[in-house]
Structures are given as structure tokens and as C-alpha cells.
């Protein structure tokens, strides 16, 4: 995977530049890579969207100057160390600690127990030299008797390996082992034992800490800071949606082309009939083809909204993209996973041959329903957003708010379109 990624760079393709300045090209690249090698697509996403994107979107200009060129050229392969053994979707409850040592002006990154080991971290087992580590930011209280003040989960840049590929002191990394799919991705488990990094390694776009340990943020509440931090990572879900649509297109193409060429049965003394001419095969594959078109256009709409959101920083658009990316990622990945099985079955015994890729695609794509947000949790987030909008729509006196809603609904339904 690393070799293939290097070939892309040598061909003049610059994923980090796309991720930073030309979002449509970046997401199109993700879709194309998904048709070729899902492991390569995921490795690329970890390097440029998660590791690179977190540095650029959660850090400030000093971090951009320090890391941009090396991340873009793959001289600094990195990781996105959020998930822990005991905490995946519940990011707010992560246990890894980052405690400020005021005397040395350093953060002390530590894994307090087994449950806090960073787990399933892509690029960690072999390639990663640094990571964006999500940890609880703790500083000494201004009241010397109060101990440490926990300001919640923040992101820190933490070196992992030296130039020779050896783990740095206090960093312990193990391979997570053979997986159901995506075995071209080196998922690893990381434990930190009082690893020290400079105070400036805090990605401080939304919060800063000075030498005395004084914490400050332009956002007034911990919940708003947390939401802003996670909101900057929405691009990962958009990228997964694009990749999943790419897999669906590839699988449907394989199955339909095979079914058009494969002949089976037919009238006596006549040529056998193409499998695709049977209604049972059409009922399997044509709805998949139609839905692939629908999801293609829905994905394009999401990408366009994401581009507008990044350009305008509009708060309402941020909320819309967050909700739409969550819902579309969940629906698309679940549909594609089911479609992969249907496509394999539609190709009969030949579909079971590894060379035809349907089995490998099914195994590699399966985890798309889990990472970047478990689909069940994402759909619950969408439900919460819809209920919030419903409550806002009916805010006020019951009769007047209901009448206002019905008036808007009727007006939208009575749009007259003249005949040509």
C-alpha cells in the first residue's frame, strides 16, 4: 500500500493539496481509489484526510508551517489516534490523558489503564511516525489545593517513531492482527507511558494554554468546543460516502456485465438465453443500478454542500452537512453492503472466484458501516436533528404554529408548472 501511494505522488497527484484546497478533486480521488483497492483508499484517507486534515483543521498556522510539506509528500506518515479499546463512538469519554507539566512546559501523554489503549489506529502498526492523539487536557488548577482541572478531549501531535522506524521512548505499538478485510491497512494498538511533547503540540484552533497553565478558548462551553472539534472532521464521512458509492458502481458493473454475457437455459433447439434477460435477474440487479444513480447524485449534492460550508463557514450549513453526511454515510454503506451480496449471488458460482473481486469487496467494505461513526449511532444523530427541527417548526402557540406549518406545506405542494 505504501508503494502504491508513492506511485500516486510520483504521478503528480497531491491528495493533501486537494484535501486542503480542492475538495471536489479529493473526494473524486477517494471514489476512484475505492474501485481499485479499498485498502489504498483507506490508507490515503488516514494520511491526508484524518492525520493531515486534523493538523490543518484543528491546528493553527504554526502547525501548518511545521507539518504540511512532510505530510503531503508522505515523508511524515501519520495516524489519527481517537478510538480506544473501551471507547469508540463515545468520544467525549476517552480516557487518554494529556497533563501539562508547567515546570518543563510540556504535555505528558499517558494511557491510564488497558481500556484507554488507542485501538484500530490506521497506519500505526507499520508506517506511522506521528499521530494526532485525542486526550483529556488537564492543567494545574490556579488554586494550588484543587489539583488538576479536566477541560475535556483535545487533539495533540505526538511523535511515534524515529527515522529508523523504532518506537520512541514511552510509545508501545502492536499490530491489531488479521482482520475480516482491509488487510492492506496496518491497524495498530498504541499505549503511551508518560510521553512528553512540547506545549505547542496542542492543536489549538479552539483552545490555547499558556506557560502558566491558563486555559482559554473563544468558545464559552466545553460542549461547544467539543462540537466544533468534531465538526471539522465531517470530511471523513463525506469521503467514506464517496468511496462506498464507488464500490457500489464497481460491483453493479461487474454483475451486470457478467449477466449480460453469461448464457443459461433457453427454448429447445435454440441458443441459450442471456442470464440478464431473465426477469429474476433483472429484479435483482436493475434496482441496484437505479439506486447507484440516485446515490451518485446524492453524493454529489453532499460534496457541493461541503464545499459551500468550507467556503462560507455558515453555522446552519455546518449543521446541515453534519446531519446529511451522517445519514447518507449510514444509508449508502448499508445499502452497498447488501448490494455486494446480491451481486455475488447474481454471478452464481463464478462470482465466488476471488479474481472477480466481489467477495473481496464485500469483506473490505463491511467495516465502512462501523468506522467514521457506527451507522446506528449516526442515524440516531440524524433523528435528533430532525426532532430538533420539528420542535423549532412548531414552537409557539399550538394553533398558530400548526396553521403556519400547514400553510407552508400547502404552498409548496401547489406550485403550478405550465404545460409546454
Amino acid at each position: 500500500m505504501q508503494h502504491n501511494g508513492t506511485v500516486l505522488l510520483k504521478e503528480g497527484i497531491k491528495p493533501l493539496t486537494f484535501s486542503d484546497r480542492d475538495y471536489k478533486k479529493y473526494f473524486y480521488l477517494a471514489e476512484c481509489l475505492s474501485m481499485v483497492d479499498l485498502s489504498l483508499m483507506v490508507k490515503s484517507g488516514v494520511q491526508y484526510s484524518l492525520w493531515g486534515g486534523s493538523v490543518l483543521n484543528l491546528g493553527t498556522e504554526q502547525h501548518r508551517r511545521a507539518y504540511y510539506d512532510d505530510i503531503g509528500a508522505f515523508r511524515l506518515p501519520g495516524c489519527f489516534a481517537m478510538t480506544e479499546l473501551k471507547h469508540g463512538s463515545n468520544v467525549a469519554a476517552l480516557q487518554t490523558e494529556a497533563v501539562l507539566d508547567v515546570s518543563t512546559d510540556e504535555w505528558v501523554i499517558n494511557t491510564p489503564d488497558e481500556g484507554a489503549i488507542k485501538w484500530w489506529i490506521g497506519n500505526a502498526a507499520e508506517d506511522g511516525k506521528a499521530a494526532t492523539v485525542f486526550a483529556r487536557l488537564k492543567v494545574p488548577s490556579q488554586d494550588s489545593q484543587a489539583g488538576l482541572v479536566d477541560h475535556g478531549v483535545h487533539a495533540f501531535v505526538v511523535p511515534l517513531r524515529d527515522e529508523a522506524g523504532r518506537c520512541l521512548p514511552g510509545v508501545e505499538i502492536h499490530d491489531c492482527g488479521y482482520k475480516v478485510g482491509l488487510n492492506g491497512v496496518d491497524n495498530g494498538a498504541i499505549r503511551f507511558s508518560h510521553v512528553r511533547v512540547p506545549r505547542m503540540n496542542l492543536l489549538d484552533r479552539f483552545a490555547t494554554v499558556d506557560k502558566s497553565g491558563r486555559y482559554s478558548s473563544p468558545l464559552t462551553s466545553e460542549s461547544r468546543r467539543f462540537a466544533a472539534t468534531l465538526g471539522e472532521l465531517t470530511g471523513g464521512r463525506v469521503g467514506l460516502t464517496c468511496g462506498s458509492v464507488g464500490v457500489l458502481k464497481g460491483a453493479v458493473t461487474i454483475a451486470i456485465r457478467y449477466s449480460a454475457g453469461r448464457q443459461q437455459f433457453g427454448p429447445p433447439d435454440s441458443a441459450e438465453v442471456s442470464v440478464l434477460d431473465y426477469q429474476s435477474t433483472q429484479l435483482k440487479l436493475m434496482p441496484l443500478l437505479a439506486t447507484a444513480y440516485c446515490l451518485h447524485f446524492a453524493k454529489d449534492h453532499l460534496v457541493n454542500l461541503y464545499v459551500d460550508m468550507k467556503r462560507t463557514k455558515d453555522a446552519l450549513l455546518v449543521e446541515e452537512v453534519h446531519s446529511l453526511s451522517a445519514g447518507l454515510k449510514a444509508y449508502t454503506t448499508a445499502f452497498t453492503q447488501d448490494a455486494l451480496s446480491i451481486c455475488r449471488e447474481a454471478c452464481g458460482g463464478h462470482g465466488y472466484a476471488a479474481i472477480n473481486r466481489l467477495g473481496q469487496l464485500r469483506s473490505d467494505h463491511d467495516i465502512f458501516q462501523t468506522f467514521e461513526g457506527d451507522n446506528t449511532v449516526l442515524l440516531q444523530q440524524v433523528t435528533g436533528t430532525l426532532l430538533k427541527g420539528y420542535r423549532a417548526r412548531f414552537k409557539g402557540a399550538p394553533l398558530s404554529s400548526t396553521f403556519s406549518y400547514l400553510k407552508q406545506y400547502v404552498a409548496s405542494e401547489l406550485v403550478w408548472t405550465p404545460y409546454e
Side-chain angles (χ1 to χ4, degrees):
M1 294 306 111
Q2 183 174 346
H3 171 72
N4 291 337
T6 304
V7 170
L8 285 175
L9 296 175
K10 287 182 178 179
E11 291 295 321
I13 298 173
K14 300 180 179 180
L16 186 62
T17 302
F18 295 162
S19 176
D20 184 36
R21 301 171 189 169
D22 195 334
Y23 307 111
K24 287 187 179 181
K25 281 187 179 179
Y26 180 79
F27 293 128
Y28 181 66
L29 175 62
E31 183 177 340
C32 290
L33 290 179
S34 73
M35 298 184 187
V36 177
D37 188 329
L38 276 178
S39 286
L40 179 59
M41 178 227 160
V42 172
K43 286 276 288 185
S44 176
V46 171
Q47 174 69 14
Y48 301 111
S49 180
L50 295 180
W51 159 233
S54 60
V55 171
L56 298 181
N57 294 321
L58 302 181
T60 50
E61 187 59 33
Q62 64 169 341
H63 300 108
R64 175 183 287 267
R65 290 195 302 268
Y67 299 109
Y68 189 96
D69 291 343
D70 287 339
I71 293 175
F74 206 64
R75 290 190 297 267
L76 186 62
C79 313
F80 185 79
M82 176 182 280
T83 299
E84 295 177 355
L85 184 58
K86 285 189 176 180
H87 291 95
S89 297
N90 190 7
V91 178
L94 294 177
Q95 297 173 264
T96 302
E97 298 175 335
V99 179
L100 183 66
D101 184 343
V102 178
S103 64
T104 61
D105 202 28
E106 293 174 315
W107 297 104
V108 180
I109 313 295
N110 189 56
T111 302
D113 57 48
E114 295 285 333
I117 295 173
K118 295 297 182 181
W119 204 266
W120 292 126
I121 309 304
N123 285 356
E126 293 184 9
D127 296 326
K129 293 182 179 178
T132 297
V133 176
F134 288 80
R136 311 198 71 80
L137 186 154
K138 298 183 179 182
V139 296
S141 171
Q142 298 302 309
D143 178 1
S144 59
Q145 304 300 317
L148 296 174
V149 178
D150 185 343
H151 288 284
V153 175
H154 291 64
F156 303 80
V157 173
V158 181
L160 300 178
R161 290 182 171 93
D162 60 21
E163 290 302 317
R166 296 182 293 261
C167 287
L168 294 171
V171 178
E172 181 184 351
I173 301 178
H174 296 281
D175 196 308
C176 286
Y178 198 70
K179 307 182 292 290
V180 171
L182 288 183
N183 284 296
V185 181
D186 52 328
N187 295 94
I190 311 173
R191 181 197 291 267
F192 301 101
S193 298
H194 305 287
V195 175
R196 290 179 173 268
V197 299
R199 178 173 54 86
M200 305 304 288
N201 281 31
L202 167 67
L203 295 175
D204 57 353
R205 177 179 173 185
F206 298 116
T208 59
V209 177
D210 65 18
K211 289 184 177 181
S212 69
R214 185 177 291 106
Y215 179 93
S216 61
S217 171
L219 303 176
T220 55
S221 70
E222 182 176 325
S223 61
R224 288 186 62 196
R225 291 192 297 272
F226 182 69
T229 298
L230 295 188
E232 285 298 322
L233 306 174
T234 304
R237 290 174 187 165
V238 180
L240 275 189
T241 302
C242 294
S244 187
V245 169
V247 171
L248 177 62
K249 290 177 181 178
V252 170
T253 300
I254 292 169
I256 290 178
R257 285 181 176 176
Y258 172 82
S259 299
R262 172 70 166 174
Q263 294 179 324
Q264 195 77 273
F265 303 110
D269 303 320
S270 300
E272 290 188 299
V273 177
S274 170
V275 173
L276 190 58
D277 287 338
Y278 289 101
Q279 190 176 46
S280 58
T281 302
Q282 294 172 2
L283 289 173
K284 287 180 180 179
L285 297 180
M286 291 303 103
L288 302 186
L289 177 62
T291 305
Y293 274 98
C294 294
L295 290 177
H296 167 81
F297 294 120
K299 173 264 300 179
D300 280 355
H301 175 64
L302 174 61
V303 169
N304 289 332
L305 285 179
Y306 181 84
V307 171
D308 289 343
M309 178 198 76
K310 297 292 284 187
R311 176 177 54 83
T312 64
K313 310 295 183 183
D314 180 80
L316 291 177
L317 198 52
V318 170
E319 185 174 357
E320 181 179 359
V321 170
H322 173 76
S323 181
L324 182 59
S325 65
L328 195 56
K329 181 266 185 187
Y331 181 85
T332 301
T333 56
F335 181 87
T336 297
Q337 195 62 29
D338 290 340
L340 286 165
S341 287
I342 294 172
C343 287
R344 206 290 301 160
E345 293 166 13
C347 292
H350 291 304
Y352 204 65
I355 193 173
N356 295 316
R357 299 191 63 209
L358 292 173
Q360 189 63 56
L361 284 172
R362 185 171 58 183
S363 296
D364 285 347
H365 179 274
D366 189 25
I367 193 61
F368 277 47
Q369 300 176 97
T370 301
F371 61 21
E372 290 293 331
D374 177 86
N375 281 0
T376 301
V377 176
L378 292 185
L379 291 175
Q380 288 173 341
Q381 291 181 7
V382 176
T383 302
T385 301
L386 292 174
L387 289 174
K388 179 182 176 182
Y390 180 84
R391 185 167 57 246
R393 180 68 66 89
F394 286 92
K395 187 176 182 180
L399 186 59
S400 61
S401 60
T402 301
F403 177 76
S404 175
Y405 170 76
L406 291 175
K407 183 172 69 174
Q408 293 177 28
Y409 176 78
V410 171
S412 67
E413 292 295 312
L414 296 180
V415 176
W416 179 67
T417 303
Y419 291 103
E420 295 182 358

